[in-house]
Amino acid sequence: METASTSLDFSSLRRTLAGTLHEPGDATYTRLATPWNLAVPTSPAAVVAAATAQDVAAAVKFAAAHDLAVAVQATGHGISSNLDGALLIHTGALDECLISQSESGGTARTGAGTTWATVLSRCAALGLAGLTGSAPGVSVAGYTSGGGIGPMARTFGAASDRVRSLDVVTGDGELRHVTATTEPELFWGLRGGKGSLGIITSMEFELLALPTIYAGTLFFDTADVPKIVHAWAQWCPTLPPAATTSIALMQLPPMPGVPEPLAGRFTIAVRYVYTGNEDDGATWLTPIRSAAAPLMDTVGLMPSSMIGLVHSDPEDPMPVAEGSALLTDFTNTTAHTLLEVAGPDAKSAQLLVEIRQFGGALAQEPAEPSALCHRDAPFGLYTVGVGAPPDLPGIKGHSELIVQRMSPWAYGGTLPNFSASSGQNGFAGSYTADALARLGSLAQHFDPGNVFRVGQVPAR
């Protein structure tokens, strides 16, 4: 990793911190500044390893006083831009996780560094569930700030819909407790605004009384890929909101952790989560189960805390190139086009090309509106390519070709968590013009020094 040089003296900030401050040349600096996507260059001026919310506030005030940009990461999944010269605030140590149970479900209070894996683990014994994404290793705060659209979205909506309160350090260095009544505008923007208005230090949100789900993945061999893609296109419109599904065209390498039937071959995965009873879940899945003989069938009754097994997203950092788009429909014609550009005969450069079905509860505006836009998009396209850095431009180019070929069904725009790697352009595409203008106005009010100008912020 290249490091940034700076003549700025951080000693006064260092003395105020309960945590630590690390500068280039320090091994801890390198560890904390490295994102999950190893292809993203990060060379901040310094890294603050925050131990308290007050550390975050002190770091933001210091940055504002010295005209430094501020960025934040906990697990590193949301970093999208070169952080050269910025002050990076690492919130991984803010890992509070308090779970309370009620007759209707429960609530969780989590810190900025708490991951969904921790929440799900604490919920398991209580029969509770949270609206995690497909990768429970990401932080709750970062995921939820982008709306949070996961494997139960059609049933329960976005994770941001369940938020009750947030503690946040805004760009003026103030630590604020935000609810729908105390700070309604900020409450709107923090739920879907993806870090453009401040650094969330903790949050409280609702949990569901959901001890089990009927869920898992069906994997099919190369020859059956076209049949399954077309079957899935016809099956999706029939599904009730209790079911959330996606398909993934996959080319998994033969390496540790990859099941032998899938390693080194082109396969398709049908992911499925049903939140009702097991018998009904099996009945709704029958058209796909009977479409071809699966290589593997992992669908069954499981604790809701094990939902991460459905997608089994990689946990270890790697260099990746990503792409995303929203789609208006997924018909047999759409399926045919997808197969032409990303199917078994297309010589695809992607590790994974995924189509997610949305709709259901996700398409309904919550009781407390939020900055999350494009909720009524019926489908989402997502690509992931992995390779050595010299190969990534070609992989990214192929991803862009896939998006271009699918453009006849383009909904327009993206979703914040799916376009995080695209920086400011991706951020702007995640919102309507009205929502973007509203976020910009809020940013001017709460961040007068424009410290949150790196990556996912409205242009100022």
Side-chain angles (χ1 to χ4, degrees):
M1 175 191 298
E2 294 183 2
T3 57
S5 60
T6 179
S7 58
L8 189 59
D9 183 359
F10 290 99
S11 58
S12 62
L13 175 57
R14 183 179 276 112
R15 287 193 297 268
T16 68
L17 298 173
T20 56
L21 186 143
H22 304 274
E23 297 182 68
D26 179 340
T28 302
Y29 166 98
T30 301
R31 177 174 61 83
L32 296 180
T34 301
W36 182 86
N37 184 355
L38 298 178
V40 177
T42 55
S43 51
V47 180
V48 170
T52 65
Q54 288 71 29
D55 282 355
V56 176
V60 170
K61 288 179 179 177
F62 181 90
H66 294 85
D67 195 28
L68 286 175
V70 170
V72 61
Q73 76 173 19
T75 63
H77 287 79
I79 291 294
S80 63
S81 302
N82 190 321
L83 305 182
D84 189 20
L87 181 62
L88 177 62
I89 302 175
H90 195 284
T91 57
L94 304 182
D95 57 358
E96 171 188 26
C97 184
L98 302 175
I99 306 294
S100 61
Q101 194 170 23
S102 65
E103 291 184 3
S104 59
T107 60
R109 179 177 173 82
T110 58
T114 307
T115 66
W116 274 111
T118 297
V119 174
L120 296 177
S121 176
R122 301 279 180 89
C123 286
L126 303 175
L128 298 175
L131 293 184
T132 177
S134 59
V138 306
S139 71
V140 176
Y143 171 78
T144 307
S145 72
I149 297 173
M152 296 189 289
R154 283 173 44 81
T155 310
F156 300 115
S160 57
D161 299 343
R162 303 280 167 166
V163 173
R164 291 185 175 181
S165 68
L166 308 101
D167 294 307
V168 60
V169 175
T170 46
D172 53 10
E174 295 299 315
L175 178 59
R176 304 171 188 270
H177 183 67
V178 178
T179 69
T181 51
T182 62
E183 296 268 16
E185 283 293 290
L186 201 49
F187 189 70
W188 172 86
L190 291 171
R191 296 173 305 121
K194 196 59 178 174
S196 60
L197 301 179
I199 297 175
I200 297 170
T201 59
S202 63
M203 58 191 298
E204 184 178 3
F205 54 94
E206 298 170 4
L207 297 170
L208 305 165
L210 187 69
T212 60
I213 53 178
Y214 184 75
T217 306
L218 295 167
F219 298 92
F220 297 90
D221 206 354
T222 312
D224 295 318
V225 169
K227 181 188 304 182
I228 296 302
V229 173
H230 284 281
W232 190 82
Q234 296 172 28
W235 176 61
C236 281
T238 72
L239 291 177
T244 300
T245 183
S246 66
I247 53 170
L249 304 174
M250 304 193 307
Q251 299 181 89
L252 301 181
M255 59 183 293
V258 176
E260 188 277 330
L262 311 180
R265 66 204 307 176
F266 197 110
T267 60
I268 184 170
V270 179
R271 286 81 170 260
Y272 181 71
V273 175
Y274 188 82
T275 57
N277 70 65
E278 180 180 5
D279 289 342
D280 288 345
T283 298
W284 283 109
L285 186 59
T286 297
I288 295 297
R289 262 203 174 122
S290 60
L295 291 170
M296 294 173 59
D297 182 347
T298 71
V299 182
L301 196 66
M302 68 167 66
S304 58
S305 60
M306 303 299 289
I307 193 170
L309 294 177
V310 175
H311 283 244
S312 295
D313 285 350
E315 299 179 0
D316 295 333
M318 60 183 66
V320 304
E322 300 168 290
S324 69
L326 296 174
L327 305 177
T328 59
D329 207 346
F330 195 80
T331 65
N332 277 328
T333 305
T334 321
H336 179 74
T337 301
L338 179 69
L339 289 166
E340 282 187 334
V341 71
D345 298 325
K347 297 182 179 179
S348 171
Q350 308 304 313
L351 177 77
L352 173 148
V353 177
E354 181 182 49
I355 304 290
R356 296 192 183 197
Q357 185 191 22
F358 298 140
L362 179 62
Q364 308 302 313
E365 190 69 24
E368 290 293 340
S370 73
L372 179 62
C373 297
H374 311 322
R375 299 178 66 103
D376 58 347
F379 293 90
L381 164 68
Y382 181 50
T383 69
V384 180
V386 177
D391 298 329
L392 290 178
I395 295 173
K396 182 66 174 176
H398 179 251
S399 171
E400 292 168 352
L401 174 63
I402 294 173
V403 171
Q404 189 276 325
R405 288 291 303 278
M406 300 294 282
S407 62
W409 301 275
Y411 172 94
T414 55
L415 293 171
N417 286 342
F418 289 86
S419 59
S421 63
S422 301
Q424 287 193 2
N425 290 336
F427 182 93
S430 297
Y431 303 96
T432 63
D434 287 347
L436 193 63
R438 189 174 175 184
L439 285 170
S441 177
L442 287 169
Q444 288 181 343
H445 177 74
F446 289 104
D447 182 13
N450 198 20
V451 297
F452 299 125
R453 58 184 179 267
V454 176
Q456 297 160 348
V457 293
R460 295 274 286 275

